[in-house]
Amino acid sequence: MPDLSEILEEYGFLEPDDRYRLLIDLGRALEPMPEALKTDATLVRGCSAAVWVYPTTRDDGRLHFLADSNAAITKGIIALVLETVQDRTPQGILAADIEAALAPFDLKTQLSSNRTQGIPNMIALIRAEAARLAS
């Protein structure tokens, strides 16, 4: 997957319909999440679509997240969020300003509130996992 700055550059040149297609493509590029991990325990609360996030820890202590959604555009938003934190140390995730990294995408005005309402919950879950491992 391209890095966030490359995605933003492309996103900025696109019309709204094409932005949706870009998000869908980003979602399709996510690492597959095994069905067995899509449980109530990995379900992110407060999302209009079903969103699952499963954290794993690499041998070097970095966090790697598997995530999925049953909605294509939501899955693309997940891909954007993960691009800000994927394979970072817990301390790096806690220091990251995820909201600021996503702000240039202006998702709140580009998408319906139903599509974006779960983003803060997903970010909170990611931060909670990083905090748990950092301590």
Side-chain angles (χ1 to χ4, degrees), residues 9-116:
E9 186 175 336
E10 182 178 352
Y11 190 84
F13 287 113
L14 299 174
E15 296 296 322
D17 285 346
D18 293 326
R19 288 178 175 181
Y20 289 133
R21 282 190 271 288
L22 175 62
L23 287 173
I24 291 167
D25 289 344
L26 291 172
R28 286 183 183 141
L30 278 176
E31 180 179 352
M33 183 178 189
E35 289 297 318
L37 296 178
K38 297 176 188 176
T39 67
D40 194 53
T42 61
L43 188 67
V44 177
R45 306 289 180 231
C47 297
S48 60
V51 174
W52 300 272
V53 176
Y54 183 80
T56 63
T57 307
R58 302 234 180 235
D59 290 339
D60 62 2
R62 294 178 184 271
L63 279 165
H64 184 81
F65 297 91
L66 297 175
D68 200 359
S69 176
N70 64 350
I73 292 173
T74 302
K75 195 169 174 175
I77 295 169
I78 292 167
L80 289 177
V81 173
L82 290 185
E83 187 59 33
T84 68
V85 298
Q86 196 68 289
D87 298 325
R88 289 189 176 195
T89 63
Q91 296 80 4
I93 291 171
L94 292 172
D97 190 343
I98 301 167
E99 294 84 356
L102 297 176
F105 290 93
D106 199 20
L107 295 173
K108 289 191 184 280
T109 59
Q110 300 293 322
L111 304 169
S112 70
S113 62
N114 285 348
R115 297 231 186 259
T116 58

